[in-house]
Amino acid sequence: MKADLIVGIQWGDEGKGKIVDRLAQNYDAVARYQGGHNAGHTIVVDGKKIALHLIPSGVLNKSAVNIIGNGVVVSPEALIKEMKQFDDLKGRLFISEKAHMILSHHIAIDQAKERLRGAKAIGTTGRGIGPAYSSKVERSGHRIGELRDIERLSESLKEYFEINKPVLETLGVEIPSFGKIKEELKIYQESLLPYIADTTKMVWDLLRENKKVLLEGAQGTLLDIDHGTYPYVTSSNTISAGACSGLGLSPKDIGKIVGIAKAYCTRVGNGPFPTEDFGEDGKKLRDRGHEFGTTTGRERRCGWFDAVACRYACRLNGCDELSIMKLDVLDGFEKVKICVAYEIDGEISEDFVFDLSKVKPVYEEMDGWDRSEGVSKFENLPKNAQKYIKRIEELTGTKIGMISTSPDRKDTILL
Ligand code: GDP
Ligand code: IMO
Ligand code: MG
């Protein structure tokens, strides 16, 4: 059996949580492969809202196994807090022994560096993501599996603090006492030990036994460390390829790939965003779409659908299908716009470019529609909404397999 994959196509917050939750009803396992508690995935079932950051969005399917892969950076503190919402995770939540930990100094470094960057701040979530991945790549990180031997881990952390003392002191990052380190690690060990596993072998076994596995991406393609709008990106490979290294799968293990995109665009944090609308339309999208971050509560910047970026993302990820989310947010606009090309210094490009900050969007305008909210059949969508969907399909060269018309699990059109 091959594993199917869900990936964000834009700058995150596309509605991945809703789709993963919906699909998880038919899967035996859901696995996260990158990111950390910078992610915020909202699921709404029968009007009840649940926000997830680290636990995979398959958790509401009681019979599915949920895996946090080695490519995820795990804050034990945040995970323990999140786990408290559920009383039945034993035997259905597993954390890779190879996943790196986010510890309090990573969070302090993240925040201190953002302050120092001043006007050039990335606008990170302040969750220690960049510093934790930096430690991993620098080979000074600490892995979840090390919680099995607290004595050894606290000694190793003590050495880390000794070596890095000058840097940490300059940044104003507090170095915890040996006693405090041990005390914290003990809490993490007590809470997390039963969940630590060799998740790579676990995923291999599931696939060998013909079990259905869904891989859940966090963030979005345009935040990918290699292919996104660097340096205004996150610190992991958010694209589908990240699932291989982030879980221990081979490219041959991946089956269907579904890209998740909003019917418009949003971005939290800083960095270029060609179709951002600074006027009334942007404000209307934010108000109607409740575009405020699940993790930090920050206002999301809003603008029109960018077909150039979407086509780029579909190719990078190898999308078999796209799900178009939040179509209902465009209800009531007299005209809707799609960016079909970029203009850079008078030249037209239909390709994504190295420096997105220089780009001016070339728009195609279409007639709007009254109401798509809550519609669950394509033929019941207003004609202009149908045309809009078909145009996205044409421009991106990717089949649209699902359309979402409200936050609720049930309001989804399957094509
Ligand atoms: P994720 O990070 O990709 O999982 O997305 P978030 O959960 O951060 O943000 C998406 C937001 O849109 C959440 O509040 C969802 O409940 C909401 N949402 C998802 N699909 C729809 C939809 O079709 N219509 C509307 N109005 N809201 C939606
Ligand atoms: P989900 O999974 C939207 C953004 C931050 C910032 C940049 C780097 O909910 O889609 P980081 O803390 O990762 O170092 O911040 O990435 N960012 C997200 N934006 N959705 C997310 O996750 C995000 N995770 C990080 O706002 O611009
Ligand atoms: Mg989110």
Side-chain angles (χ1 to χ4, degrees):
M1 191 65 116
K2 288 180 191 288
D4 298 330
L5 188 145
I6 294 295
V7 63
I9 288 299
Q10 298 155 328
W11 282 283
D13 301 327
E14 297 92 348
K16 300 174 291 293
K18 165 170 169 169
I19 293 298
V20 173
D21 164 67
R22 194 180 190 285
L23 294 178
Q25 311 306 313
N26 302 316
Y27 280 81
D28 300 301
V30 179
R32 273 276 303 268
Y33 56 86
Q34 45 68 235
H37 65 308
N38 50 347
H41 302 157
T42 315
I43 298 169
V44 182
V45 187
D46 301 329
K48 197 172 162 265
K49 216 182 209 181
I50 163 154
L52 297 168
H53 302 280
L54 271 165
I55 297 178
S57 304
V59 70
L60 300 187
N61 170 11
K62 300 259 183 209
S63 55
V65 163
N66 289 272
I67 293 167
I68 298 178
N70 60 275
V72 176
V73 278
V74 180
S75 153
E77 194 183 341
L79 180 58
I80 292 165
K81 196 167 148 206
E82 194 169 324
M83 285 165 70
K84 290 201 173 119
Q85 296 179 81
F86 307 95
D87 49 17
D88 56 348
L89 292 175
K90 291 251 167 70
R92 63 186 205 98
L93 176 70
F94 298 94
I95 313 155
S96 168
E97 56 195 1
K98 294 185 276 193
H100 278 249
M101 285 191 276
I102 299 184
L103 297 171
S104 48
H105 63 280
H106 292 125
I107 295 170
I109 297 171
D110 189 2
Q111 294 174 2
K113 289 208 170 165
E114 279 289 88
R115 274 195 301 275
L116 289 170
R117 284 185 195 111
K120 288 194 173 154
I122 296 163
T124 72
T125 58
R127 301 298 194 261
I129 304 296
Y133 278 117
S134 300
S135 291
K136 170 177 170 174
V137 175
E138 195 206 31
R139 292 152 296 176
S140 65
H142 291 91
R143 303 191 287 175
I144 285 282
E146 292 177 57
L147 285 174
R148 291 181 182 127
D149 185 347
I150 297 263
E151 287 303 321
R152 202 162 135 200
L153 175 56
S154 24
E155 283 300 335
S156 173
L157 268 165
K158 195 172 134 202
E159 274 166 31
Y160 168 87
F161 284 120
E162 273 161 17
I163 296 169
N164 290 280
K165 196 168 176 222
V167 181
L168 296 175
E169 278 180 355
T170 308
L171 287 172
V173 173
E174 193 199 335
I175 297 181
S177 69
F178 191 58
K180 190 165 176 229
I181 295 174
K182 270 180 113 169
E183 202 180 299
E184 274 186 5
L185 293 177
K186 189 109 195 65
I187 297 172
Y188 301 162
Q189 185 191 53
E190 273 164 17
S191 310
L192 299 181
L193 213 53
Y195 300 93
I196 301 174
D198 177 355
T199 57
T200 299
K201 182 159 187 307
M202 187 176 277
V203 179
W204 291 350
D205 289 346
L206 283 162
L207 294 177
R208 192 171 30 87
E209 290 159 14
N210 282 327
K211 294 279 195 300
K212 289 191 75 185
V213 179
L214 185 63
L215 314 178
E216 176 183 21
Q219 288 81 53
T221 301
L222 305 177
L223 290 171
D224 182 274
I225 183 77
D226 285 292
H227 302 285
T229 51
Y230 192 89
Y232 298 99
V233 291
T234 190
S235 299
S236 62
N237 281 117
T238 59
I239 58 171
S240 56
C244 293
S245 53
L247 283 160
L249 291 174
S250 99
K252 289 180 189 159
D253 287 315
I254 312 290
K256 185 172 171 181
I257 299 177
V258 178
I260 313 293
K262 274 179 197 170
Y264 50 99
C265 269
T266 64
R267 172 163 206 170
V268 219
N270 300 327
F273 177 4
T275 63
E276 182 167 13
D277 189 293
F278 298 95
E280 278 308 303
D281 287 344
K283 192 174 171 306
K284 201 166 151 188
L285 288 170
R286 179 156 50 249
D287 291 345
R288 296 208 37 150
H290 304 289
E291 296 295 356
F292 298 89
T294 313
T295 299
T296 55
R298 289 179 293 177
E299 239 181 40
R300 293 178 185 149
R301 299 154 63 191
C302 296
W304 299 106
F305 188 85
D306 184 339
V308 180
C310 186
R311 191 163 54 234
Y312 168 73
C314 287
R315 177 63 185 86
L316 274 172
N317 291 296
C319 290
D320 296 297
E321 270 184 22
L322 276 175
S323 295
I324 298 295
M325 312 299 292
K326 303 186 94 161
L327 184 66
D328 54 295
V329 174
L330 295 180
D331 291 359
F333 277 90
E334 205 170 308
K335 296 278 180 190
V336 288
K337 292 197 275 189
I338 301 183
C339 168
V340 294
Y342 293 155
E343 189 193 318
I344 315 128
D345 301 328
E347 302 271 324
I348 299 294
S349 170
E350 288 187 355
D351 293 321
F352 200 73
V353 294
F354 180 74
D355 184 0
L356 216 56
S357 68
K358 290 193 177 152
V359 155
K360 272 200 238 146
V362 178
Y363 285 119
E364 190 174 290
E365 209 171 64
M366 297 179 75
D367 290 328
W369 55 88
D370 288 342
R371 196 179 157 93
S372 70
E373 192 184 345
V375 171
S376 55
K377 284 206 172 89
F378 189 75
E379 55 272 27
N380 294 343
L381 281 177
K383 283 283 168 288
N384 286 342
Q386 294 187 14
K387 277 190 203 162
Y388 184 73
I389 293 290
K390 288 285 167 207
R391 188 66 184 130
I392 291 179
E393 202 163 49
E394 252 168 42
L395 288 165
T396 59
T398 310
K399 176 184 173 327
I400 292 174
M402 277 181 279
I403 303 164
S404 172
T405 58
S406 103
D408 206 281
R409 189 192 271 169
K410 67 180 188 328
D411 294 328
T412 313
I413 300 172
L414 298 181
L415 295 166

